[in-house]
Amino acid sequence: MMDANQVAELRRFVEKLKSNPFLAFFKEYLRSLGAQVPKIEKTEIDYEDMAETKPNFSPKHDDDDDDVMESDVELDNSDVIEPELNPILLVLSLSLFSCESVLLKVKKPNAAIRDANEALQFNPDSAKGYKSRGMARAMLGQWEEAAVDLHVASKLDYDEEIGTILKKVEPNAKRIEEHRRKYQRLRKEKELQRAERERQQQQEAQEREAQAALKDGQVISIHSTSELEAKKKAAKKASRLLILYFTATWCGPCRYMSPLYSNLATQHPRVVFLKVDIDEANDVAASWNISSVPTFCFIRDGKEVDKVVGADKGSLEQKIAQHSTSK
């Protein structure tokens, strides 16, 4: 009695007899045994497109990644063959009802893969199907796919032939995986470098914009807390000393100090000179606890480092000279 698997393989074999006109020798053999084989009309051979190419491992990458790739991965392709491009002459064995093993022996790996796929559709747990497909893929240099199939076959039904083939396949599959990881790592490093360059360019652009807003050699009037904070941040980014001058229109000493303050701004273009009218921007004056004018606050890196209260021209000039060169 034949089991279900043998019956299925016999059915596949018979279907191939029907579809392949090159099997006349086998039909003659059947007739010699007394079998009646009907004659079939000659039909035009359906040439299948079997121009499958042997894969050369080369990860896809953009033009920007050309400098990332050092060389192609070195593989042992000594046993790899070219895929068959001509119609297949199938030599089958009735005793085994196995197409794949014979196709491998006559070096028809594409056909063997096709037949193994058909067998695995019928029986997904066929160790023989995975083994045949893995061996065929190894013949074509499809190392990673071959390793997967052979490992599955080994788990289902291990034999020494699978182990021998894996010794050839696994080193190549590992080299491909290592090469892929190396490429991914180099690409990641390049992406990080690109991101860092973009960050630096953005920072430099912000610094240029901030410096342009500081108006070298001029006194800048401040009208709100938000405006003051923006200038403080700009001065901090530019590593500049900032002087905050609190004044009032009704203040006599302020009228004396204001021209001097403007002249000092011209003399020290790398120092940021700000002016706040405490009546116009009373919220700014309140946040700095200004109780008298004129008051000059010296700010470095966003923090107050010194102060001059009153119309003290000498102290103001001394403090500017001191703090403008302290960093």
Side-chain angles (χ1 to χ4, degrees):
M1 294 291 293
M2 299 175 61
D3 60 26
N5 289 338
Q6 289 177 319
V7 172
E9 291 191 11
L10 179 58
R11 183 178 294 110
R12 290 175 54 229
F13 167 72
V14 172
E15 291 300 322
K16 289 187 179 294
L17 284 179
K18 292 180 179 179
S19 62
N20 197 306
F22 291 106
L23 296 174
F25 75 94
F26 191 74
K27 294 174 184 177
E28 291 300 326
Y29 169 70
L30 292 178
R31 290 193 181 99
S32 71
L33 297 178
Q36 293 184 356
V37 181
K39 294 183 179 181
I40 59 174
E41 297 181 359
K42 292 184 179 180
T43 58
E44 184 177 354
I45 299 174
D46 182 15
Y47 289 88
E48 297 182 9
D49 181 12
M50 302 182 63
E52 300 178 23
T53 57
K54 179 174 59 181
N56 287 324
F57 176 74
S58 181
K60 294 181 180 179
H61 55 282
D62 300 330
D63 294 338
D64 292 340
D65 295 327
D66 287 343
D67 56 339
V68 172
M69 297 301 296
E70 297 179 356
S71 62
D72 289 336
V73 59
E74 295 183 1
L75 302 174
D76 180 4
N77 290 323
S78 57
D79 296 330
V80 173
I81 66 172
E82 292 294 333
E84 65 269 26
L85 301 177
N86 58 318
I88 305 169
L89 177 59
L90 299 175
V91 183
L92 304 173
S93 169
L94 267 179
S95 60
L96 296 177
F97 298 109
S98 171
C99 302
E100 298 91 343
S101 59
V102 177
L103 290 169
L104 291 174
K105 289 179 182 179
V106 298
K107 296 185 178 180
K108 302 295 183 182
N110 284 336
I113 290 173
R114 185 181 63 249
D115 286 355
N117 287 339
E118 293 176 1
L120 289 170
Q121 286 180 356
F122 177 77
N123 181 12
D125 295 324
S126 171
K128 185 176 165 185
Y130 284 109
K131 176 182 175 181
S132 298
R133 192 171 68 181
M135 293 172 63
R137 284 174 166 174
M139 293 176 69
L140 292 172
Q142 299 172 0
W143 303 114
E144 291 181 297
E145 297 85 348
V148 172
D149 279 344
L150 292 171
H151 277 295
V152 174
S154 178
K155 291 179 181 179
L156 293 172
D157 185 15
Y158 178 80
D159 62 45
E160 292 183 359
E161 187 177 17
I162 294 177
T164 300
I165 300 172
L166 278 172
K167 289 180 181 179
K168 168 78 174 181
V169 170
E170 282 189 322
N172 283 339
K174 288 180 179 179
R175 290 189 189 102
I176 292 174
E177 178 61 22
E178 290 171 358
H179 190 80
R180 182 182 294 109
R181 289 178 180 175
K182 176 182 177 181
Y183 168 74
Q184 290 173 347
R185 184 181 70 254
L186 293 175
R187 183 172 184 177
K188 182 64 175 178
E189 291 175 357
K190 186 173 182 181
E191 289 175 354
L192 291 174
Q193 293 172 357
R194 184 185 299 114
E196 177 61 19
R197 287 196 301 270
E198 291 176 354
R199 187 193 66 80
Q200 291 179 352
Q201 292 172 356
Q202 184 178 9
Q203 181 178 354
E204 291 172 356
Q206 290 176 347
E207 290 177 355
R208 287 193 298 269
E209 183 179 354
Q211 290 177 7
L214 294 179
K215 299 181 181 180
D216 293 355
Q218 301 180 40
V219 176
I220 304 172
S221 296
I222 298 298
H223 307 282
S224 65
T225 301
S226 60
E227 190 177 358
L228 173 59
E229 290 301 316
K231 298 302 181 185
K232 285 173 59 181
K233 288 180 181 180
K236 183 178 180 180
K237 285 184 178 180
S239 299
R240 294 194 186 187
L241 172 67
L242 182 147
I243 304 174
L244 189 55
Y245 168 38
F246 290 94
T247 182
T249 56
W250 45 262
C251 171
C254 295
R255 288 194 292 271
Y256 166 72
M257 293 298 295
S258 290
L260 172 64
Y261 191 67
S262 296
N263 289 334
L264 290 172
T266 304
Q267 296 172 21
H268 300 276
R270 303 299 296 172
V271 177
V272 181
F273 287 79
L274 304 183
K275 182 174 68 173
V276 178
D277 188 315
I278 61 172
D279 295 322
E280 181 182 347
N282 53 18
D283 57 333
V284 177
S287 65
W288 284 79
N289 297 320
I290 301 300
S291 57
S292 63
V293 288
T295 295
F296 302 87
C297 298
F298 292 76
I299 303 168
R300 170 75 74 177
D301 294 331
K303 298 179 181 179
E304 184 177 351
V305 295
D306 214 334
K307 179 186 292 187
V308 172
V309 179
D312 190 340
K313 174 184 175 182
S315 294
L316 180 59
E317 293 175 336
Q318 179 186 355
K319 297 290 185 181
I320 293 175
Q322 175 188 344
H323 293 293
S324 63
T325 58
S326 62
K327 187 173 181 179

